[in-house]
Amino acid sequence: MNGGQITIEGAGGLRLPLHLIRGGSSDLVSEEAVAHLRGLVPRAEYTDIAEATHMVMGDLNDVLSTTILKFFKRHHQTLETGS
């Protein structure tokens, strides 16, 4: 981190699947930050878990686990081949 800003170098060159999961009531990750990352990596998936704060795992662990498992299942082949 640099003065509260996250520097993402080369994000557009990422080839592996990316999934941003945000607690809808997060006071640390804003909608603007999400939009910025999605602008850098347009093919990134995004899930907003509206009922959760920044600590999604602590707030809604079952929902988070299900979300992650579905993501892995959708991208299983990509994760194995790296393409």
Side-chain angles (χ1 to χ4, degrees), residues 30-52:
S30 67
E31 290 287 339
E32 292 80 15
V34 170
H36 178 71
L37 179 64
R38 294 186 83 195
L40 293 171
V41 188
R43 68 184 197 326
E45 292 185 36
Y46 170 56
T47 300
D48 183 273
I49 300 179
E51 303 83 17

Side-chain angles (χ1 to χ4, degrees), residues 54-73:
H54 182 70
M55 294 298 297
V56 178
M57 182 176 285
D59 294 339
L60 294 167
N61 190 38
D62 290 344
V63 174
L64 178 64
S65 297
T66 299
T67 301
I68 292 170
L69 288 172
K70 286 180 180 179
F71 174 77
F72 285 158
K73 286 178 183 176

Side-chain angles (χ1 to χ4, degrees), residues 16-36:
L16 291 174
L18 177 67
H19 190 184
L20 173 62
I21 302 170
R22 175 184 181 266
S25 298
S26 175
D27 57 348
L28 298 176
V29 180
S30 67
E31 290 287 339
E32 292 80 15
V34 170
H36 178 71

